[in-house]
Amino acid sequence: MKMMKDVFTRREIKYVLTTKQAALLQETASKYMVEDKFGRSKVKSIYFDTPNYVLIRRSLEKPLYKEKFRIRFYGEAGPGDDVFLEIKKKLKHVVYKRRVKLEYQEALDFMAGRNDQEVVMNKKPKEQQILKELQYARDFYGGLSRSAYIEYDRIALAGIEDKNLRLTFDCKVCMVSQNSKNGKTELREILPEGKVLLEVKTLNGLPLWLREFMGKEQITKGSFSKYGEAYKKYIKGSYDSTGFEERRVG
């Protein structure tokens, strides 16, 4: 059984495709790639920020350096379930991601500053270093709290020969929020229906077959942040718009 990586360094290039283009690309890619260990999954992320959203506001200014903090999981997560607590940093177009596997409530408690020293001491040295980075960032910003909950459907492909090449196709990208009037959970669309977010994750640049496909379909790279779009569409100017229920999510 393969061990899951907890440290990633790579370029991430984003494109917004039509559903037809996404299907064509998946067909073309099938000669060079296969579905990875996650394959088809429901990806869910809880982002953390300051009360006035300093992290995402800075990120949208497109600085040379930016960082995000989140809990990520696949499918459901609740007491007893494992999730990934992640730091994602970007410097001059290169992405550095580090993560630690924790139990769901343990991850929430850690980001809230509860029992964090105990969690650190119970981990291996490499994991301790990542957790200490999270502690430092949390304390540097004066505390980080849950700011957005985003989910989407993903198809993930991995290169057969180029093990560092990965394509992910994300659709039905939504922010999960709680209606302030009736308390019901709502899904707020971030990516328009009929569109698919493609992320090319690579160390070596785009392979020839992929460059040829992009040229033929006249697809150009763009900039799309799920959390950034959620902030611009639903959070900005209404900081109390994203409530969270203290319950099992999934």
Side-chain angles (χ1 to χ4, degrees):
M1 185 176 187
K2 288 187 177 181
M3 295 294 291
M4 297 184 65
K5 290 179 65 176
D6 55 15
V7 178
F8 303 82
T9 302
R10 62 198 181 193
R11 292 182 64 211
E12 293 185 357
I13 310 166
K14 298 181 181 181
Y15 306 83
V16 177
L17 313 181
T18 64
T19 51
K20 181 179 179 181
Q21 288 172 328
L24 285 172
L25 178 53
Q26 289 169 33
E27 182 179 352
T28 301
S30 65
K31 302 173 187 176
Y32 312 96
M33 309 187 76
V34 293
E35 288 190 7
D36 74 0
K37 55 182 168 288
F38 290 110
R40 298 168 186 263
S41 58
K42 174 77 75 174
V43 182
K44 302 182 180 183
S45 299
I46 298 174
Y47 288 86
F48 291 81
D49 212 324
T50 66
N52 57 348
Y53 295 87
V54 165
L55 290 171
I56 193 57
R57 288 193 289 110
R58 286 181 181 170
S59 177
L60 291 171
E61 294 171 357
K62 302 186 185 303
L64 290 177
Y65 172 80
K66 56 186 178 181
E67 56 190 355
K68 294 177 183 176
F69 306 94
R70 68 190 179 200
I71 291 173
R72 169 159 289 185
F73 49 99
Y74 301 83
E76 295 184 347
D81 294 325
D82 287 334
V83 298
F84 293 107
L85 182 56
E86 299 183 344
I87 310 170
K88 187 174 182 181
K89 303 180 179 182
K90 190 172 184 180
L91 176 62
K92 295 181 179 179
H93 309 295
V94 178
V95 173
Y96 304 87
K97 188 169 80 170
R98 296 157 68 76
R99 67 187 186 184
V100 177
K101 184 183 287 187
L102 297 175
E103 186 271 325
Y104 176 68
Q105 190 60 49
E106 185 179 42
L108 292 176
D109 288 345
F110 182 91
M111 290 304 291
R114 297 189 292 266
N115 303 320
D116 52 350
Q117 293 301 327
E118 181 181 344
V119 172
V120 172
M121 294 305 296
N122 288 333
K123 294 297 179 181
K124 295 178 181 178
K126 183 188 291 185
E127 295 171 324
Q128 287 182 355
Q129 180 58 38
I130 298 171
L131 289 169
K132 287 176 181 177
E133 287 183 42
L134 277 160
Q135 282 179 314
Y136 175 83
R138 182 196 67 201
D139 297 341
F140 175 81
Y141 289 109
L144 299 172
S145 57
R146 291 178 286 178
S147 55
Y149 173 23
I150 293 171
E151 67 175 42
Y152 47 92
D153 292 337
R154 166 168 286 184
I155 298 175
L157 306 180
I160 297 172
E161 294 186 4
D162 183 355
K163 304 299 183 183
N164 293 310
L165 178 65
R166 192 164 179 259
L167 302 185
T168 58
F169 300 82
D170 298 335
C171 64
K172 299 181 182 177
V173 182
C174 297
M175 185 180 83
V176 182
S177 63
Q178 197 173 20
N179 188 298
S180 59
K181 294 182 179 179
N182 58 29
K184 292 184 178 179
T185 300
E186 296 180 341
L187 296 180
R188 299 186 176 187
E189 182 184 83
I190 297 173
L191 187 67
E193 187 175 353
K195 297 292 185 181
V196 177
L197 177 64
L198 167 69
E199 292 188 31
V200 181
K201 307 167 196 288
T202 177
L203 284 177
N204 306 315
L206 272 61
L208 178 60
W209 63 266
L210 185 52
R211 293 201 303 270
E212 290 178 343
F213 178 88
M214 296 300 188
K216 181 180 178 182
E217 292 294 321
Q218 299 182 323
I219 298 170
T220 57
K221 65 180 180 180
S223 176
F224 189 96
S225 162
K226 300 180 184 77
Y227 179 26
E229 291 299 310
Y231 172 78
K232 289 189 291 185
K233 293 182 74 170
Y234 302 116
I235 303 173
K236 186 178 180 181
S238 180
Y239 287 166
D240 62 348
S241 64
T242 52
F244 289 89
E245 295 180 70
E246 294 295 337
R247 60 170 178 79
R248 188 177 182 86
V249 291

